[in-house]
Amino acid sequence: VRQIRFSEKQSSSMVWNMRRINENEIWIGTQSGLFVYNIKDEKAVEWNHPDMPKGMRNSPITTQFVDSKGRVWMGIGASNGLVVYNPKTDVLDSYSFDKNKFLLRSVTGIAEDKNGNVWLGNQTGGGLIKWNRKTKTFTKLNINTESKFITDFIEDLMIDADNELWIATRSGLYNYSIEKNQFKRYSTKNGLLSNYITGLCEDKNKNIWVATTKGVNVLENDGERIWDYTKKKGIPGTEVVTIKRWDGNSLFIGASK
């Protein structure tokens, strides 16, 4: 085990996320900004860019996502919005809260559909946001009780193999058919261990793995059968905070308590 130190910033030791950008670099989102870890040198340095917004340097990097064009999307905490960086062109775009253009103060969930559109949400609300690749604009899908989408406190987002959007919220799991513009909600009434959903992952058989504050559920690909993993069945803790697919046969689950 080797501990990575992030310069002299003591508060930066809290890690939100990590993403391997290329063969030699891992980008680490911390409580106090973005750091780049060089695998060969085994050193981490603070990431810098001339167009980086002021708030990014000392704010939490709440999420990282690489789209199909290789651009890195990053949520910036403390109400500092979103940045999108293109490594190929070294161009960085930033988006702060604007009621007419960008409606999120921060971003905690990002996913890309098969049309290249990017979906965004935030755990403190603000709506489900769609970035249209053709028009380069953000639009909001409003909460509508008739559509069964009744909350916008979004913890995580995922596009599955069938190009449907899955939304992890504090009030249950939502499946959104982009093609039909229809929502379906799953809750403890359907067999979930908890309505507080913290993460999502799809396995090679198109089953949806759902991380919750009380364990892990697996929604089979028929969309109806739900089974569970809890601490008694081998999960390292009750409160699952993340779940990621590593390869065709393996999933990593991070939990506490």
Side-chain angles (χ1 to χ4, degrees):
V1 176
R2 180 182 176 87
Q3 183 177 0
I4 299 173
R5 296 190 179 277
F6 306 104
S7 69
E8 297 178 354
K9 289 187 174 183
Q10 297 299 319
S11 61
S12 67
S13 59
M14 177 180 171
V15 174
W16 282 74
N17 48 74
M18 295 186 292
R19 184 167 295 277
R20 189 163 187 167
I21 299 298
N22 55 50
E23 291 184 358
N24 195 43
E25 289 184 350
I26 297 174
W27 285 21
I28 305 174
T30 79
Q31 183 70 14
S32 300
L34 180 68
F35 288 78
V36 180
Y37 178 70
N38 187 293
I39 297 172
K40 291 182 180 179
D41 297 340
E42 296 185 345
K43 293 181 179 179
V45 297
E46 189 173 9
W47 189 78
N48 195 20
H49 192 280
D51 296 325
M52 188 167 67
K54 278 185 178 181
M56 183 176 177
R57 186 176 299 278
N58 297 308
S59 296
I61 308 300
T62 53
T63 189
Q64 293 185 64
F65 177 82
V66 180
D67 68 18
S68 58
K69 301 296 183 181
R71 303 199 308 169
V72 185
W73 297 64
M74 291 176 278
I76 313 300
S79 299
N80 284 297
L82 171 77
V83 298
V84 183
Y85 175 65
N86 189 332
K88 297 176 183 177
T89 61
D90 195 34
V91 173
L92 184 143
D93 297 310
S94 60
Y95 305 91
S96 56
F97 175 78
D98 184 323
K99 64 180 181 181
N100 296 315
K101 294 181 181 179
F102 186 70
L103 296 173
L104 296 178
R105 297 186 183 277
S106 185
V107 178
T108 52
I110 306 175
E112 180 185 17
D113 65 32
K114 292 183 179 180
N115 295 317
N117 302 313
V118 176
W119 300 80
L120 308 105
N122 183 26
Q123 62 187 193
T124 58
L128 176 61
I129 306 297
K130 174 185 175 182
W131 179 78
N132 188 298
R133 185 171 293 279
K134 291 182 179 179
T135 63
K136 313 295 184 187
T137 57
F138 296 94
T139 56
K140 177 183 177 180
L141 273 72
N142 291 314
I143 294 177
N144 186 339
T145 54
E146 293 181 0
S147 72
K148 298 181 181 179
F149 183 51
I150 60 173
T151 184
D152 62 355
F153 293 90
I154 297 170
E155 296 285 335
D156 196 15
L157 294 169
M158 185 194 75
I159 295 286
D160 67 15
D162 296 321
N163 202 39
E164 295 196 345
L165 178 66
W166 293 84
I167 308 166
T169 80
R170 299 178 185 181
S171 300
L173 172 67
Y174 292 86
N175 169 253
Y176 175 59
S177 171
I178 298 171
E179 181 180 348
K180 298 178 182 178
N181 190 29
Q182 291 180 351
F183 287 92
K184 182 175 182 179
R185 181 173 181 254
Y186 297 88
S187 69
T188 52
K189 293 181 179 179
N190 304 102
L192 294 183
L193 292 166
S194 169
N195 286 330
Y196 198 135
I197 314 300
T198 56
L200 298 165
C201 186
E202 182 181 28
D203 67 23
K204 65 176 183 178
N205 297 316
K206 296 186 178 182
N207 300 314
I208 306 300
W209 291 66
V210 185
T212 82
T213 53
K214 293 185 179 180
V216 174
N217 283 110
V218 181
L219 178 62
E220 292 197 14
N221 57 24
D222 59 8
E224 299 300 329
R225 288 174 291 181
I226 298 176
W227 39 288
D228 61 66
Y229 283 104
T230 61
K231 194 172 183 179
K232 292 181 179 179
K233 297 180 181 179
I235 295 296
T238 303
E239 187 172 336
V240 180
V241 294
T242 186
I243 183 166
K244 298 294 181 183
R245 180 176 175 179
W246 180 252
D247 56 31
N249 299 308
S250 301
L251 295 171
F252 280 84
I253 299 170
S256 63
K257 297 182 181 180

